[in-house]
Amino acid sequence: MDTARDKLAELLSSLDGAGGNDISRATSPGGGPQDLDTIDGQGKKLSRSRPRTYPYFRYLPYKVEDEAERQSSLDKIVKYLYMSVEAGDFAPGAQHWTRELRAWLGLKFDPTKQQRIKLVRVYYELALAPGIDVTTAERFASMFMLLTKYVSPRSHVTVHSHRPRRKHYLRPIKDITLDWKSLWRELKVFVIPSESGLIQATNVKRNYRTLTKLCAFAQLYFDPREIPLMLEEFLPYFNTSFVEGAFVVSGLFNLLLPTSPPPVGEESLLPQHYLPTLFHLWSLVNRSKVFDTTFLDLFSRLARDSLPAAHISCSEYGIFTRDQSALIFTAILRLLEIPVGQATSPYSTTVDIGAGLGVMLERDAKKHPIGHQIARWIVMSLTPSCLDKPDSILSNLEGLIQAVETFFHPSNSGAWTKTLSQLVYYLADFFVMRWNREKSGEMEVPQDRRLNDALKRRFVLCLRDVIFMGIYSKSGTAMNFSLSTLQSLAYLEPDLILPGALQRIYPSMQGLVEVHRTTSSLRSLQILSRIMVRTKGFRCHVTSLLGLSLPGIDANDLDKTLYTLSYMQSVCYNIPFHDLTQGKDNISGSMLAAEWVTSEVGRMEQEGASVELDYINGLADEDEELVLRSSTASFAEFLSSFLGRVFTLLENLPDASRVRSGSPEENVVNTLPATFTPLLASLSPELYDLALNKIADFVGNHVIHQARDAMAFICNSLCKICPEKALKRLVPMLIATIRTEIDENGAASTRNTGTDVLPRDRGLVWSVSMLSMCVVHVGDAVLAHKQELFDIAVYMQQKCKGIPTVHISNYIHHLLLNLTGTYIVDFSVYEADVLAQGLGPEDWGRISNPDELNIKWHVPQPAEIDFAVEIFRSQGEAAMRSLDSLIKGTSPIKRDGSDKAWSDELSRNLVLLRLLLAGVAVLFDSKAVSKHTNNDHGTLNGDIEMVQTNVHSAEDVAETEEDSPEDVLALNEEDQTRPTFHYPDGYALDEGSPLYTEVHALRERMGSLLHEVHEFLVEKQQDDVACFTPLYTAYKSWFIDVGIEKSAHVLDRVTRLFTADIHPYKISGLRKEYPRSLLLRRANVYHLQRLRFNACPRTSSDMDKMLLRDLAQSSVSSYAEVRRNAQSAIESASKVIIGARPLLIPPLLQAFEQGLQENDFARIKGAMYTLLFGSLAKTIGRDWRFAPSVIRSYLTACTVDKPSIQKLCSSATFQIMEFGRSSERMVILDRDIVHALESTGEDVSSYIEKKRSHVKKKRAAGELKKASLADELVNIARTSHWKTASRTAAIVVTLGFRFDSLVSDNMIDLLTKGSIDSHPGLRAMYSGALVALFSLLETRAVCQHNYENYLLDKQLILDKIEVTTRRDEADWTSQHLASFAKADTAYYVDHEYPGWLVWGKTMPGYKSDSRAEQEHDGEEKRVIKNIGDTLSRQWFITFFSYLKQEPRDPAADRFRVSSAMMLGYAFDLMHDGHTAVTLKEIKEEIATTFGDGTDKHQHRATAEILGGLLGSVHDKKIEIRTVIWDYCMSILLKVFSDGLTPENSGYWTTFLHLLLQGKDPRRSWPLVEWLADFKLDMSSNAAFKESSKIMLLQQCIADAGWHFQLEKPILADFLQHLDHPYKGVREAMGHTLAAIYRTRYHESYKDVETLVMSQKTASSIGTAPYEPTEEFSDTIHEIFEQLEKWRHERTPGQQTPSSYTSGSKTILLWLDSMLSSYECTQLLKFFPNVFMEQLLHMMDIKEDQELQGLAYHVFRHIPNIPHRLGEDAELIASLIRIGTTSSLWHQRLRVLINMQVIYFRRLFLISSDQQQNLFDCVAGMLNDNQLEVRIGAMTTLSGMIRCSRVALRDSIVKDLSKKFTNMLLKNPLPKKPRNNLSATSTGTSTPTPEHTKLVLTRHAAVLGLGALVQAFPYTSPPPAWIPGVLTTLANKANSDPGMVGKSVKSILADFKKTRQDTWHMDLKAFSLEQVEDLEGVLVKSYFA
């Protein structure tokens, strides 16, 4: 104990010393590397930068190990880890020690900082080491993450990754930096396709998800000084010519770019140096959600990490500039995807589809929701400088929330609901975290950046209104987020949140509103209870709210009951239920409190939602204390009512349908004890007595069967709190009842069938259940009733039968648990000394210090242990006697088969045995349990003591000189016997004492008896399935319940409950601020963690082995239920017994083989399940003594004719294939990093050598076995049925492919001949395998036959050269591009990225005339020769004929790239002269295949063959290339000119794609040149022929990208014929034009430095990309002038197509393609004056609906295209111009659509003048002559007002309401003169122009006022000006005839309709007169 205290003192002193941690200090002088381990005054090393909040070791009730012992264990783990890694033993060696390390850390032990750094480095190295097995690498990666993060490994408490927590251990840069290049090397394989173009073999690839996860942890430790290097490395890959490159680079920046602050004084590393470049890259890919998300993620981390660094300048926009911040807010608005008017999505799916491999670098959106990133960016950019600036991050946040606030309302839910609620949740959560960490000093932020009270207040006010809407959301998820947000806001500003909350909660608790609001209110109360209890004034409401919540306990609404109970639980944890009026003469009862609460509620009703309750200043402390004391007088009354309601609930509970079904009944039963424990614990002694009497009476007088468990839990809570009192009252009563039930009512006197308890037995079961829950975890108080408890157990066991016996055994189990366990028996809300002084108001909501607890534990005393052993002995002996007599036939119950009495009795005793074993599990010691071990392996070193003494058993492995392969393979037993560690856990018995010996002897006898029962049942009662189930659960318990009751999952259960209970108290940035009783439970969980740690795997005793064999026998039983139970027991046992798996496999394998011989399906199934679907499979895969037999048997099983077995076989295929994977041959590690782990003390080199040679031998032996098995399987595959053959082939490929030996000749024969097998499935599989073989062959050759080169991706490609770029020459880029316009070149450039964004010093090129021959070694030559020999002409004939076959599945009818690849490799051998077939013969066969070309299958086959043929020559000599190209072109020209049809064009397009993708277009020059020479033939009427050629051309341009330089004539031709008559041709032209212009753009900066500097000097957001060239602008203007000309030439109303309609469609398709793409901003400057009006004209062509639709579609793109700041003026002006001056009403109406969208999308970018102009324009359009336009203007106006900021909103509303009211008043309708009807008049009249104008003006005014009202649909209560406006409408215009009156009525009706939920509150905003005025209009008469 003292050492723990010393440790704490050290830790505290460290806080003042060098350990004060933060990142910003990393740059201050003096903190050099020498202080890596913080040293305290006494020279001891420390492990953390912050002490633990909770002193785990000090609170345990037994003496724990000292720090030295923990460190010595760690040293051993590290030593063995080092030896395993050095010896190359990664699995199981290093993996085992990693597990040990994880468990060691799980016990809250801390390595020193120095040790942690070494381990982090080693695991980082291991996780990324080339050559390591993928699954092993994932284990190491997971360990790396654990070492660098804060969350404790065994706790299931997830912590949001607010990353600064990790700095407790290692400070980035100051303590450790990691090398990003290792991660980049691994990621590169995935995302930058190998430059060699070779396919990487699977065994080297890892899971990319693991890599991206690793990045998240390692990024913090990358050195910011590496940023320039990273830019140099990644930026050259960025290009949008092949847009995947852009996605990959942005993903890499997000994953790898360090965001930690750079050292002081390095200007070029400051964020603002490279941010403009990042913004520029962002603007290069518009309309992409992925890009928005990626950059927000990156910027938000940058904001977080730069905040503490004083040398990074910070303004009201955080570390960003105004322009940057406006752009980010605009992106946030886009990301929320709020629907606006008729707008389409701001994102275009076509852009994100292009992400390609970049998808791998995206973060998982579920784990990293976008709200998290947005909130992190905003909160980490807030500083006090935001407060006094009109434009800042804070004001923009307010603007954002105000713009979308109506979308929080429950009535307005949709896809956005979850995102918005998540956003506000994270905003509040981050703010609370930052606030708390700044206050505690954990986040060291410069003083002038720290959050202050004013900022906090404004932040809370900003979110307050939307959260009060959110908590009533219809979506459960949104409601959960909103409630958590409410809690965070109330924590920050209780005085701002609680009044509004109470004002809403009181009416719903009094039942005045809908039920769902009551539920939300109860949940709100639960999360606010802790804050209310601590806040002055508000705490006086608590008791009245408790009273109001009582009706919530209602059997008819179980969900509400659940929330009510949770609320009460929450209150009970925080306040004492003590009457504080006692002894106070000035308070009589609760009268004072009741009056005060009534007056407060009245005040809330009066003032409505804006109520202010300022108790701090408005309520004197003395008065508040009087009210609070008075309110506690009603606790007794509350308790009685509460118990009454609970009893009523229990009496009416429905039957729980199934156990653990998650039904509401079950949830209530589980929540009751969680509520009762804190409630009873917080009661004063008088109230406790009251509760005890009520509950005891209820238990004594009732039997409610379905409420049995709930009531038992309540009894348990009662007994835990005050065991002496409760047991004294309950035990005698229950025992008496039990005796009465048995003796007088005959309960449990006979057995019964089924699972239901008979009505006769229910009273007994009720009492037994109560009793068993009364005696568990209540401590030593049971000893007072020792004799009665013992006697009743014996009595019940003698008398009872049937189902009640299970409950009786359970009672014994509970009693044993209570006596033997160590657990907490302290549940008080207060420490004993506080209770002794007496409680007062100051104790409400008292916070317990986790460091000053005094915990009462129950530690088993000798008397309890004696009593426990006595029960164990008496009950155990009785059960064993009974079982013995049953199986020997001496029992009175006979096994005559007439009834089930014998089975029942057997089962009953087995259940009792199991529960006895589990009940005393903590008394079993794993040493003694394993004592009886035969030393039958030379590897086990003497006695089992080695478990304790850490013997280096592995060093004693006697390795003879010559091991047979079987011995080498078997030697993995020694891997299992390793030192294990044991720490004190309060074990109750002394080793060797009589009791110790007796307990273990009894256990051994029970084991032996279980074996006898098993033998008897298997022989005599095989079909008695009911007996096998309890038998094998008893087996399971016998194996695993040693040291801790594992079978009950105690630790998991306790941890889960603990996690659920602390959840409401977790507040970001605070640690363990929990109520006292929860803090105590944490110690209990920790004690269990120690128990579980010590219950580690143990060596097997003889008894273990015997029982394991029994299980193996039964796991292949004929009965499915028996098999299942035995298999489950095997799984459990093999986890705790070392060496169990190798012991189980032989008998199971034998059963498998035997089953197959005898066709015994049950055995086959049992064996397959056990061997292949559990943990044994892994062992088999590693142990090649067994694997061959398992694989053989599996293949035999594949032929068994039984569907269920076939299903098993297909599920197991992958598992079997895994067996054959090659084991690790070589792993490349940085030796220095590994050697850092070496301990200085001892020399272990001899052991390492021994171990290494053993690992090598074992590997070699395994590989030999694999090779011989592969050969055997090849022969099977040849001869067997196709189903077996296909599975065999799959296994053979993993078994037989090796880097060194490639494959055997036999296998080559199988693959080459199999590729032309008659079965299509086999053919595909063998062809695939042959391609893999070719690929391996080629890879091996380019890696120079060296495995190390292969792992490091070092490839020597003969043609590859590094071309030095002449980037300093001004015209270098244009020269480079010009070279692509002609065929001749010295080298090819296959990659698109070099020079697109920046030039590197060199770029990869490939010689154009390849003369070098690839060298092959002997193995490769052998394989090539063998393959070549088989590839005869006949082989090709057969292969080609199969290509031509019609595929069975229509979906497979496409160009198959696999066939082309396969043929490519085959032709490659032909060119090199390795095959018998010649080119001439191949040509003949191609001609035969193509035939007459009329059938589409001929085309498909020919396309695949030519694809292979052309692909095979790209690295050949120029002569061969020319021959092949000449030949192929002759066919291609024929097909492309005349042979294309809709059926076959798809094949040829793919063929073209295969040929050109990722290749230099000059490689395919003849074809590219021919396609580029295409000219439209206007005389042709073969539309498809024309369009298909254009499609091929488009494919060619898209694949060649910016390297396509033959576009000029094509453009000229297309632009001349835009009005082509055929639709198909127009579509193809439109898309091709877009493709050409899309690929013309490139930036080509000379180097990265120039790029960065030019962006920095341009502006803070870099330069604007995609500026249209002069040439492009001229083209656009010319086209649209031509269009205008055509428009005038067209006759209005013309039905037939004209040049105008045809040309328009071509242009629209082109624009649509460009606007849906990332380069859309290229067209921005043409919107206002060129496009807009033309589009509106097109929409007016009613005769051509296709044109109208296309034009409307393109028109709606316009507002979604992002403009930069200030670039939108012209567009807005042109919208206003058209809206106000256009003569066509359709056009005026349509521009309204875009006005609203532009206004919303550009909320943060638009200038105030433009805002005003838009408002003026829309308000003016209310006067439009056309009704539709007026209504459109009304909708637009209300939408614009709704999403404006409050200040602007208020001023607009003020101006407009005044304007429209005046319009209405100044233009009254003239009164109708009476009796003006003359005799000739008909009563109708033609309106005069004046009258029409008047009606128009009045309608405009009505619509204007209506727009203002509709802009606030959900504001409750409505703004103060609304009642006046509505009254004006009702009084002045309601009676107008026609549309004016109609509009008024609809406005008033809508107003009420949207407010039904809150009408009772909203009505209060109106005065009496106003209500009367509205009455007649709002209430529709029944007779209307």
Side-chain angles (χ1 to χ4, degrees), residues 982-1132:
H982 194 285
Y983 300 105
D985 57 10
Y987 183 65
L989 296 173
D990 297 327
E991 204 173 324
S993 65
L995 283 178
Y996 180 89
T997 318
E998 181 181 3
V999 166
H1000 288 93
L1002 265 169
R1003 179 179 178 279
E1004 194 71 10
R1005 279 177 53 208
M1006 288 175 179
S1008 158
L1009 183 68
L1010 289 174
H1011 170 66
E1012 287 170 30
V1013 172
H1014 162 84
E1015 296 216 299
F1016 180 82
L1017 286 177
V1018 167
E1019 192 184 338
K1020 302 273 200 315
Q1021 288 278 104
Q1022 274 184 11
D1023 57 348
D1024 196 348
V1025 177
C1027 291
F1028 279 101
T1029 305
L1031 174 66
Y1032 295 134
T1033 32
Y1035 266 51
K1036 193 183 203 170
S1037 211
W1038 196 87
F1039 278 116
I1040 66 177
D1041 290 339
V1042 172
I1044 182 173
E1045 191 188 358
K1046 265 192 188 168
S1047 55
H1049 307 291
V1050 182
L1051 178 59
D1052 296 341
R1053 269 204 342 243
V1054 170
T1055 310
R1056 218 173 26 247
L1057 287 170
F1058 176 67
T1059 309
D1061 284 350
I1062 59 173
H1063 181 68
Y1065 301 101
K1066 289 189 95 57
I1067 290 177
S1068 291
L1070 291 183
R1071 291 206 168 63
K1072 296 201 171 52
E1073 230 188 59
Y1074 309 149
R1076 178 176 180 272
S1077 32
L1078 291 177
L1079 287 169
L1080 306 181
R1081 276 167 58 187
R1082 182 64 193 92
N1084 199 35
V1085 173
Y1086 181 61
H1087 163 68
L1088 288 172
Q1089 282 176 319
R1090 289 179 85 95
L1091 281 180
R1092 182 154 97 181
F1093 177 89
N1094 286 336
C1096 53
R1098 56 180 194 270
T1099 40
S1100 54
S1101 64
D1102 294 346
M1103 181 62 70
D1104 288 326
K1105 289 177 184 165
M1106 185 160 75
L1107 296 179
L1108 280 170
R1109 288 190 197 101
D1110 291 351
L1111 289 174
Q1113 183 184 358
S1114 286
S1115 64
V1116 293
S1117 154
S1118 310
Y1119 295 92
E1121 196 58 31
V1122 175
R1123 291 202 297 272
R1124 235 171 260 138
N1125 285 305
Q1127 286 158 3
S1128 158
I1130 282 183
E1131 281 302 306
S1132 303

Side-chain angles (χ1 to χ4, degrees), residues 307-322:
L307 183 67
H311 63 285
I312 297 179
S313 62
C314 186
S315 66
E316 64 270 29
Y317 304 105
I319 61 160
F320 297 86
T321 64
R322 176 171 178 254

